[in-house]
């Protein structure tokens, strides 16, 4: 059932908002050279992944964090000879921070001369701190110990553990290293996911009445008009590449409009979600047969006339004609992909259009290479309209996800979990009846029977519809976790007849400022109140940057936090502080301020916690988890979306154990 549901929701999954955690894109080597009995030179060489920027020591205040060196044992032991020398840098104006930022171009080299003032100094301990940015910014630090006798370099986790050289300290350091979850390549996964899902969406568009019949006609044109088979294949390949070029250019335009700094801002914007809800309803209505969304015929005629010019230019215009003529079927899918990809920021729209157009172009190229395959193609017919209508039902279901996002951000409680599920049950139930032939829509052909494939699809959609029904009474529905509102956002948060909040007989009194969150975990939504309580009960803190409309946050709560072992840790071993970065409640006038990080006015509670996350942790994506001690010091490296239960449990236990 679960695998089948994932297949059904390949289109739905496009709308999952992912956290922007990534592996460190900077790799370092370092060495120390002895110049004389008291003079040494330390060199750091860094390789930064393509596209990433690492910032200079001299980048302007108010922008990205500059590179810095912290010499832990400098006092009374040695002194610096001048500033650290840097390799080539470049200075440009940053529209986001509104300052000139200075970053390295190509491989990074940093060189620092040092002079000993104490000849008995055993080592030099340096922490290299830096920030690298692409679509998000990552702050990292590397800790190095340079032995002055052997000139060996050791990268360590904890200087105190290194200095003590005790077996116990070493074991604790190793344990902390082992139990800290490695940062994830989440953005790379995100772009790959967008590409794959866009690729499947391209195949879905291919199986629509506007595109599918054009395959044999176009391929036949190339094979008949070309003097040789090789020429026909060449022209068809150019045609396919032209299709890809057109859609990638479209993705590039959207990228330029939205910019690389949008990240997930659009996904939590109320106006965006409401507008996109209405847009998807229009797309769905078109797919269901009420009307056709078409570009002006004059466009197609003008482009088609240019296709007669021949050569590569003519082929390019033929590809453009395909894009225009098929717009009524491909437009809703392309629009959905583009807006969702734009909400991810960066090059996501380009990647999405590359995947979509590749799937669209491949059949034209392959059938031109192997014309005999055309005989095995299914004939055009009513099944193409069935595909189109099915996409309409999916678009309609997806539309309510965006309306739900707006409702969650506003906390208006108009579209609570039960109402959302009732709407989905109705939509998927109607889809099942349509597939069984019990509902006829305007462009459907008369039929006396249904095909076996359509029957299986009908059975699958019916099964999924029945699966949704228990959710009205509190079933968790983990297959679609993250899409409906969370269990806590419902008329009956604990199911019909369920008891929560500690149970009806519970005598527990909630601490001031706390409330019951997911799975009845006591949670604070204010940082200061949560930290004060954690200090009073002498427990570490799990700091959770989250959002009301954050899909992956809900998945973490439904899949990972619900695990008995993790739930026990969250309830008994830590104090949970959940900071909602999309909370639209306005701050009191006297608490509003101008952000030191972005220079923008912080007006809402969500603005405050988003700014807090950027200022202190140099990240702006959710979910984002950190284990802190009572003084607010990190006990673990931050992690983002971590769906592996054991991995998250190991990371959480590591932070808790380090606090003890």
């Amino acid at each position: 059932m679960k695998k089948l549901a994932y297949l059904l929701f390949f289109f739905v999954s496009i709308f999952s908002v992912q956290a922007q955690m990534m592996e460190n894109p900077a790799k370092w080597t370092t060495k120390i050279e002895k110049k004389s009995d008291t003079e040494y030179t330390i060199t750091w060489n860094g390789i930064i992944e393509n596209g990433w920027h690492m910032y200079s020591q001299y980048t302007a205040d108010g922008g990205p964090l500059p590179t810095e060196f912290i010499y832990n044992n400098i006092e009374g032991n040695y002194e610096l000879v001048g500033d650290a020398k840097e390799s080539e840098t470049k200075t440009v104006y940053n529209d986001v921070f509104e300052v000139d930022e200075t970053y390295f171009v190509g491989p990074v080299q940093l060189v620092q001369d040092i002079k000993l003032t104490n000849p008995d100094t055993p080592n030099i301990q340096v922490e290299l701190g830096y920030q690298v940015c692409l679509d998000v910014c990552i702050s990292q630090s590397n800790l190095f110990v340079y032995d002055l006798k052997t000139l060996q370099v050791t990268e360590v986790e904890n200087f105190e553990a290194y200095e003590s050289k005790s077996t116990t300290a070493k074991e604790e350091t190793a344990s902390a290293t082992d139990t800290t979850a490695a940062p994830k390549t989440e953005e790379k996964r995100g772009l790959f996911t967008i590409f794959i899902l866009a690729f499947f969406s391209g195949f879905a568009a291919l199986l629509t009445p506007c595109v599918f019949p054009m395959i044999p006609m176009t391929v036949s044109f190339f094979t008949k008009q070309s003097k040789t088979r090789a020429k026909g294949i060449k022209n068809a390949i150019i045609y396919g590449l032209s299709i890809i070029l057109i859609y990638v250019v479209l993705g590039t335009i959207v990228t330029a409009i939205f910019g690389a700094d949008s990240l997930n801002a659009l996904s939590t914007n109320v106006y965006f979600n409401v507008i996109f809800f209405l847009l998807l309803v229009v797309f769905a209505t078109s797919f269901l047969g009420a009307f056709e969304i078409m570009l002006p015929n004059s466009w197609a005629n003008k482009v088609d006339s240019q296709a007669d010019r021949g050569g590569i230019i003519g082929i390019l215009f033929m590809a453009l004609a395909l894009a225009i003529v098929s717009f009524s079927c491909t437009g809703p899918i392309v629009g959905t992909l583009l807006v969702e990809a734009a909400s991810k920021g960066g090059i996501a729209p380009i990647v999405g259009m590359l995947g979509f157009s590749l799937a669209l172009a491949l059949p034209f190229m392959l059938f031109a290479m192997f014309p005999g395959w055309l005989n095995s193609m299914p004939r055009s017919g009513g099944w193409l309209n069935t595909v189109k209508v099915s996409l309409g039902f999916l678009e309609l279901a997806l539309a309510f996800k965006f309306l739900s996002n707006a409702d969650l951000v506003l906390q208006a409680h108009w579209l609570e979990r039960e109402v959302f599920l009732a709407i989905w049950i109705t939509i998927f139930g109607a889809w099942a009846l349509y597939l069984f032939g019990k509902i006829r829509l305007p462009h459907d052909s008369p039929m006396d029977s249904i095909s076996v494939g359509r029957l299986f699809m009908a059975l699958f959609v019916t099964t999924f519809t029945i699966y949704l029904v228990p959710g009205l009474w509190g079933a968790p529905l983990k297959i679609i976790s993250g899409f409906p509102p969370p269990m806590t956002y419902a008329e009956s948060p604990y199911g019909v007849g369920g008891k929560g909040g500690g149970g009806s007989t519970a005598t527990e009194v909630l601490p001031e400022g706390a409330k019951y969150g997911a799975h009845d975990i006591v949670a604070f939504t204010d940082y200061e109140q949560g930290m004060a309580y954690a200090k009073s009960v002498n427990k570490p803190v799990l700091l959770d940057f989250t959002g009301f409309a954050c899909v992956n946050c809900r998945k973490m709560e439904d899949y990972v936090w619900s695990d008995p072992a993790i739930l026990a840790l969250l309830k008994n071993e830590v104090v949970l502080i959940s900071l909602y970065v999309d909370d639209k409640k306005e701050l009191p006038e006297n608490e509003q301020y101008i952000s030191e990080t972005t220079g923008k006015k912080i007006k809402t509670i969500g603005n405050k916690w988003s700014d807090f996350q950027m200022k202190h942790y140099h990240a702006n994506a959710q979910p984002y988890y950190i284990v802190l001690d009572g003084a607010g010091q990190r006990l673990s490296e931050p992690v983002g979306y971590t769906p592996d239960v054991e991995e998250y449990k190991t990371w959480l236990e590591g932070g808790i154990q380090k606090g003890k």
Side-chain angles (χ1 to χ4, degrees), residues 302-366:
K302 289 179 181 178
V303 170
D304 194 48
S305 65
Q306 294 296 318
D308 297 332
R309 295 173 59 179
I312 294 178
I313 298 298
I315 294 174
L316 179 62
F317 275 102
M318 282 186 65
L320 186 57
L322 169 70
I324 293 173
V325 171
S326 64
F327 183 80
S328 61
C329 291
T330 60
I333 301 174
V334 169
T336 301
L337 283 171
L338 279 176
V339 179
E340 173 57 23
S343 71
K344 296 287 189 294
I347 62 170
I350 299 175
V351 172
M353 288 300 94
L354 178 62
F356 178 85
S357 58
L358 184 62
L360 204 62
L362 272 177
F364 291 96
M365 293 188 284
L366 290 176

Side-chain angles (χ1 to χ4, degrees), residues 40-159:
Y40 294 83
T41 298
I42 299 177
T43 303
W44 296 268
N45 289 297
I47 301 297
I48 314 300
E49 288 188 13
N50 288 338
W52 289 84
H53 290 154
M54 174 179 160
Y55 294 91
S56 161
Q57 304 168 85
Y58 309 111
T59 199
D61 292 339
L65 296 182
T67 295
E68 64 174 347
F69 303 91
I70 300 174
Y71 296 88
N72 287 12
N73 62 337
I74 188 172
E75 189 173 352
N77 291 316
Y78 54 92
E79 61 186 22
L80 306 180
V81 181
D83 295 330
K85 302 179 184 69
E86 296 183 342
S87 55
E88 181 185 359
T89 59
K90 181 178 181 180
T91 300
V92 297
Y93 183 73
N94 187 312
D95 293 329
V96 178
F97 296 110
E98 297 182 344
V99 298
D100 288 329
E101 60 182 21
T102 303
Y103 57 84
F104 292 98
V105 178
V108 177
Q109 185 174 77
L110 303 163
V111 180
Q112 178 65 63
D113 293 323
I114 289 175
K115 184 176 182 179
L116 294 185
T117 56
N118 177 7
D120 296 325
T121 302
N123 57 48
I124 295 172
Q125 304 171 358
V126 187
E127 179 177 352
L128 172 62
Y130 54 93
Q131 187 174 71
V132 284
C133 296
L134 179 59
D135 292 335
V136 294
C137 292
I138 302 176
S139 294
Q140 293 289 336
S141 62
N142 295 69
L143 310 172
F144 302 103
V145 175
Y146 301 87
D147 191 302
L148 297 182
K149 291 183 179 179
T150 64
L151 301 183
Q152 296 296 309
V153 184
T154 304
E155 185 171 359
V156 297
E157 174 72 16
N158 184 293
F159 279 133

